[in-house]
Amino acid sequence: NEGVIYTKPSASKIAEHGGFSRDETAVMMLVSALGLKPAQSRTPVTTTQIAPTILLALGLDPKGLKAVREEHTPTLPGLGF
């Protein structure tokens, strides 16, 4: 069963952190900033795109982050900062 994790009962286990089913990997993201026009996008993005997008929105260079430079991480699409 997709999304079900089987394990032996344990007193030390407090919580699960999900799997890779669509319900656990497809999440809504809401971006709000002065000057942004209401829009909806269904473009797949990753959480790694959030940090460089915030830097860009603040007027800073996202390439100041080593990971952005090395992994060529893009900013979130369609925001027009």
Side-chain angles (χ1 to χ4, degrees):
N1 293 333
E2 189 175 2
V4 176
I5 299 171
Y6 297 92
T7 182
K8 292 180 180 180
S10 169
S12 65
K13 187 173 185 175
I14 298 172
E16 275 304 334
H17 296 287
F20 290 102
S21 70
R22 178 127 175 95
D23 286 345
E24 295 167 315
T25 58
V27 295
M28 182 181 79
M29 183 180 303
L30 176 68
V31 179
S32 177
L34 288 175
L36 281 182
K37 295 180 180 177
Q40 184 180 55
S41 173
R42 295 190 180 273
T43 304
V45 296
T46 65
T47 56
T48 59
Q49 292 173 264
I50 296 171
T53 302
I54 291 171
L55 291 178
L56 188 62
L58 293 172
L60 301 172
D61 184 4
K63 292 183 180 173
L65 296 175
K66 182 179 178 183
V68 170
R69 289 191 311 271
E70 290 183 2
E71 298 174 14
H72 307 286
T73 308
T75 57
L76 293 168
L79 297 178
F81 291 122

